[in-house]
Amino acid sequence: MSRRGLAAVASVLDQAASSATNILVLVLAARLSSAAGFADFSMVYVTFSVLLGLNMAYVGQSLVLEKGDRLGAECRSAVGFTAAASAAAGALLLLVGLALAGATGTAFLALGLVLPLVLLQDGLRYCFSALRAPERALAADALRLVCVVAALAVQPEGASAGRLVLAWGLSALPALGLGLWLLRPYVRGARGDLRPYLRRGHLGQRFVVEFAVGNGSSQLAVLGLGVFATPLAVGALRGATTLFGPLNVLFNSANAFGPPVLGRLDGKRATVRATAALGLVLAAVGAGWATALYLLPDRLGRELLGDTWAGASALLPATGAQYAVMGLGTCALLTLRVLAPKATLSLQVVFSLLSVGLLLGGYAVWGVAGAAWGLAAGSALKALAAWWRVTRLPNAAARDSEPLSAPAP
């Protein structure tokens, strides 16, 4: 196998290891906690997911586009900025934890303490991606997976959310140490500069906008259910989506490796045929996975999610429908990313906000099940609109001529 092929395999395996870590963290936390305890843990984990996504968008996605002989300096700058920004965010979370009472406040205090560790460890993946060394990211993330499973597996049943968050966060230390050691040869002698990240027009600002409307808005809406409605709703929704974690690996891999492959195809017709076929395959896999989970005996379901299984299993039809149409929507947005990159931001803004409205409206009318069906309806409408936009592209659709480094809106 060629070096390029080995790098692609290592990248897919690294994405699988990272996704498996997130899945197993939630599964183990659900098994160790009561339904109320897992609800507290889920609120903290949703907060972490939003902060992780913001860091990925602002630092990671802009870093992987860098080229040339300054990659070492760029990676050192990215690590330095991530460390500083995560420390500041951790301090704010400590204040939030002090302001909140009870187990929820303790869990947020724990997240504030470990946030710099977990964000910095995850951010190293983008350094290795930019350096074309995914095998080093795989080594660090595989160690992270082993350590976090071991750390949570030895926790006592009924452990508090704060204790679980501390165990999860501190278990990142070995992988962080290994990642920094593996990165050292590339950044030795390079000088970092944090100022570009603070300037107006930094490329990451564009990516943050897309993340905020495409993913962060729905995560914050789910978090809002826990603040203004009931944390049990967050636990049930998070438990249901956790079961569909393997599909996230497929969606992320399509987004990571799809553009280079599709860019070699000849024109709009060939590109649309390829992405439509892939979308149908992903939709079929999503529907099949949802059916298998729905038919899972309650005994096995409780082995996976503990007390949270009762609430999560009731949401499987809605969450399964959401993931099936997400396969179609992912491939439609992938088509637009290749043929007309400017078309994706407006779709993300309009239909992500619509999904949030449907989630909150569904909860107000039908409770947690209504929230899940609201998310499914929003995903279906986004997929439909994206494919409609694809059909409106001219046959000679060309890539957006605007440079990636243009100032953010």
Side-chain angles (χ1 to χ4, degrees):
M1 185 181 292
S2 66
R3 176 171 175 79
R4 182 176 296 180
L6 290 173
V9 171
S11 296
V12 172
L13 291 177
D14 179 54
Q15 180 61 54
S18 179
S19 298
T21 299
N22 292 329
I23 295 167
L24 290 174
V25 164
L26 290 166
V27 168
L28 290 171
R31 292 183 63 181
L32 291 169
S33 308
S34 64
F38 184 66
D40 288 331
F41 184 88
S42 294
M43 289 186 66
V44 170
Y45 208 77
V46 168
T47 303
F48 162 72
S49 297
V50 172
L51 295 174
L52 178 66
L54 289 173
N55 185 67
M56 174 196 69
Y58 196 82
V59 180
Q61 289 189 13
S62 58
L63 177 62
V64 297
L65 297 177
E66 297 290 346
K67 298 178 182 179
D69 55 4
R70 281 190 46 81
L71 277 176
E74 296 292 347
C75 288
R76 183 180 284 273
S77 301
V79 170
F81 180 80
T82 298
S86 60
L92 290 176
L93 287 172
L94 289 175
L95 296 177
V96 171
L98 292 173
L100 296 174
T104 303
T106 303
F108 274 99
L109 281 172
L111 178 61
L113 291 173
V114 302
L115 185 68
L117 300 178
V118 291
L119 283 187
L120 194 55
Q121 190 276 322
D122 186 85
L124 293 177
R125 290 196 296 129
Y126 300 96
C127 293
F128 292 124
S129 178
L131 294 166
R132 308 297 189 266
E135 68 282 355
R136 299 193 175 215
L138 175 59
D141 285 337
L143 179 61
R144 169 65 168 143
L145 174 60
V146 171
C147 291
V148 75
V149 170
L152 291 178
V154 299
Q155 300 305 310
E157 188 172 350
S160 67
R163 176 170 179 161
L164 293 177
V165 171
L166 276 179
W168 158 75
L170 293 176
S171 67
L173 274 171
L176 175 59
L178 176 62
L180 291 174
W181 181 73
L182 292 174
L183 182 65
R184 185 180 177 185
Y186 295 96
V187 301
R188 186 186 293 116
R191 184 176 181 179
D193 185 5
L194 307 190
R195 289 174 296 178
Y197 288 98
L198 304 176
R199 290 173 185 158
R200 179 179 175 83
H202 174 61
L203 180 59
Q205 294 169 15
R206 283 178 173 250
F207 297 137
V208 163
V209 172
E210 287 217 21
F211 168 80
V213 299
N215 184 280
S217 57
S218 60
Q219 294 276 24
L220 289 174
V222 172
L223 187 61
L225 289 181
V227 175
F228 300 108
T230 169
L232 293 176
V234 180
L237 286 169
R238 177 59 65 180
T241 55
T242 297
L243 297 172
F244 289 85
L247 296 184
N248 290 328
V249 176
L250 295 178
F251 295 162
N252 291 336
S253 296
N255 282 320
F257 299 105
V261 174
L262 295 172
R264 301 191 193 104
L265 299 179
D266 186 18
K268 173 190 171 184
R269 185 183 298 274
T271 300
V272 172
R273 282 179 177 175
T275 53
L278 178 61
L280 291 173
V281 170
L282 292 179
V285 171
W289 186 254
T291 301
L293 290 174
Y294 187 74
L295 298 176
L296 195 69
D298 285 343
R299 177 179 58 83
L300 294 179
R302 292 191 186 93
E303 287 292 323
L304 286 173
L305 295 181
D307 292 342
T308 304
W309 169 255
S313 60
L315 305 182
L316 287 177
T319 307
Q322 179 191 0
Y323 271 83
V325 296
M326 278 174 62
L328 293 170
T330 296
C331 291
L333 292 171
L334 181 60
T335 309
L336 293 173
R337 178 74 72 181
V338 172
L339 298 177
K342 280 186 176 180
T344 59
L345 182 57
S346 59
L347 283 169
Q348 292 278 31
V349 170
V350 173
F351 287 94
S352 295
L353 295 178
L354 177 61
S355 293
V356 171
L358 291 171
L359 180 150
L360 297 176
Y363 182 82
V365 178
W366 294 296
V368 181
W373 279 112
L375 285 174
S379 296
L381 291 172
K382 182 189 288 189
L384 183 63
W387 278 114
W388 179 84
R389 183 69 180 84
V390 169
T391 64
R392 305 291 294 175
L393 293 176
N395 288 330
R399 283 176 171 74
D400 194 337
S401 60
E402 181 178 322
L404 285 173
S405 58

